[in-house]
Amino acid sequence: MTPRVSDPFTGQSIESARRTLAARLRSAQLEEAELDARILLGAALGLDLTGLIAQAARLLTEAEASRIAQHAQRRIAGEPVGRILGTREFWGLPFRLSDATLVPRPDTETVVERALELFREQKATQQPRIADIGTGSGAILLALLHDIPGAFGVGTDLSLNALETARGNAVTLGLADRSAFVACSYLAALRGPFDLIVSNPPYIPSAEIPKLSLEVREHDPHLALDGGNDGYDAYRALIPQAAERLAPGGALIVEAGQGQARNIETLLTAAALVVDRPPKADLAGIPRAVSARKMPP
């Protein structure tokens, strides 16, 4: 049974509770206090935005007030909203999370955007094949399968827990018949050829992990964060394997950390892949999605 948490929400209306919750989150120096308050309140009450507005004057029950207080306590302690709720939206789709998966972030949607650009240019006539390396919750792969009718995709991960989560998301999104999930290191168990290979690999230098925000360092799996001494261990392993398994004309797209894009392009070129366009920047202007093609012989 969840322990009872002392709360200031008992006896409040839904609208009053929303304002109280937002104020508490702002006091904790949380950047998206208003948005977090609305999402957490809605989850605690089982209401969407329309429901929150329609029932704004309704008084909370004691159980509802307690649930809101529990959410508030966890968020103020630094737990991300996605972890509290167990779900996160990515590419407009809902994804269940687990302890073994990253919380999908808007920055990673840049990889999906670049992948769709390159796929449309490629104009594949047969059923396109996609691989997502280090798939986690399956967010990148399933977003692409959602937007590319007829495509088939395989996601790999070292974590069986993550793969179970990804399979569950594929079922929920109606994509189970067009996806498969394999436990292996990078592309070791895959044969190819693939038209698209995508990845958000671990790229944080080991020494930088203790300096990350509380939300990341305490709640994201370190296996999905730690990129080795300089942050490039995963790229050094992944890129040569991907180059071997790409179809002629196929593309590899990887997410890059801040300041890493140029060095990743060097690794891509060393694997005989052709970097034919600049990295795609995220909303903050950081070069985020680095891509290259395998040229036909």
Side-chain angles (χ1 to χ4, degrees):
M1 180 179 295
T2 303
R4 180 70 182 275
V5 177
S6 175
D7 71 77
F9 303 102
T10 299
Q12 290 197 11
S13 69
I14 289 177
E15 175 56 22
S16 177
R18 185 197 63 77
R19 292 196 300 267
T20 298
L21 179 55
R24 287 169 63 85
L25 299 183
R26 282 196 301 271
S27 296
Q29 308 297 311
L30 296 174
E31 293 183 0
E32 298 186 326
E34 294 288 344
L35 177 60
D36 288 357
R38 179 174 63 77
I39 293 172
L40 292 173
L41 187 71
L45 303 178
L47 297 174
D48 59 14
L49 178 58
T50 301
L52 290 175
I53 294 171
Q55 299 186 41
R58 178 174 70 78
L59 296 181
L60 298 173
T61 67
E62 184 176 341
E64 289 171 339
S66 179
R67 284 198 299 271
I68 295 167
Q70 290 164 12
H71 286 349
Q73 184 179 67
R74 293 171 67 180
R75 186 69 189 101
I76 290 168
E79 190 171 353
V81 171
R83 295 284 180 209
I84 296 170
L85 304 184
T87 63
R88 174 76 174 196
E89 183 178 288
F90 179 85
W91 203 249
L93 303 171
F95 287 89
R96 295 289 302 176
L97 308 178
S98 71
D99 292 343
T101 66
L102 292 172
V103 177
R105 292 173 172 84
D107 294 344
T108 303
E109 292 189 350
T110 311
V111 174
V112 178
E113 292 169 359
R114 172 55 58 88
L116 290 173
E117 291 171 3
L118 296 182
F119 169 77
R120 287 161 183 156
E121 291 177 11
Q122 192 173 337
K123 297 179 181 178
T125 56
Q126 298 180 343
Q127 182 187 54
R129 300 186 71 216
I130 303 169
D132 178 17
I133 311 307
T135 194
S137 64
I140 298 176
L141 178 65
L142 298 175
L144 289 171
L145 294 180
H146 180 270
D147 277 26
I148 305 176
F152 179 85
V154 56
T156 72
D157 208 288
L158 284 173
S159 168
L160 295 177
N161 187 342
L163 293 170
E164 175 102 15
T165 304
R167 287 191 190 97
N169 285 325
V171 171
T172 299
L173 295 171
L175 297 169
D177 62 337
R178 293 201 284 125
S179 59
F181 297 94
V182 178
C184 69
S185 177
Y186 302 110
L187 293 91
L190 305 186
R191 295 177 61 184
F194 293 96
D195 301 290
L196 279 173
I197 299 176
V198 293
S199 182
N200 176 18
Y203 55 70
I204 307 297
S206 301
E208 296 297 315
I209 290 178
K211 304 175 187 177
L212 296 174
S213 69
L214 176 66
E215 293 189 10
V216 176
R217 73 173 186 268
E218 295 295 332
H219 297 284
D220 275 341
H222 282 207
L223 181 66
L225 297 174
D226 194 339
N229 287 338
D230 62 358
Y232 295 96
D233 281 3
Y235 300 107
R236 294 189 189 98
L238 163 66
I239 290 172
Q241 292 182 22
E244 291 177 357
R245 292 161 176 80
L246 277 173
L252 169 64
I253 306 97
V254 296
E255 180 168 330
Q258 187 167 4
Q260 292 182 321
R262 183 166 296 181
N263 289 337
I264 293 170
E265 289 178 337
T266 299
L267 293 172
L268 291 166
T269 301
L273 298 174
V274 176
V275 178
D276 60 357
R277 67 198 66 205
K280 191 172 187 67
D282 62 21
L283 293 177
I286 297 171
R288 191 62 71 180
V290 183
S291 60
R293 285 191 183 277
K294 182 174 184 176
M295 291 296 103

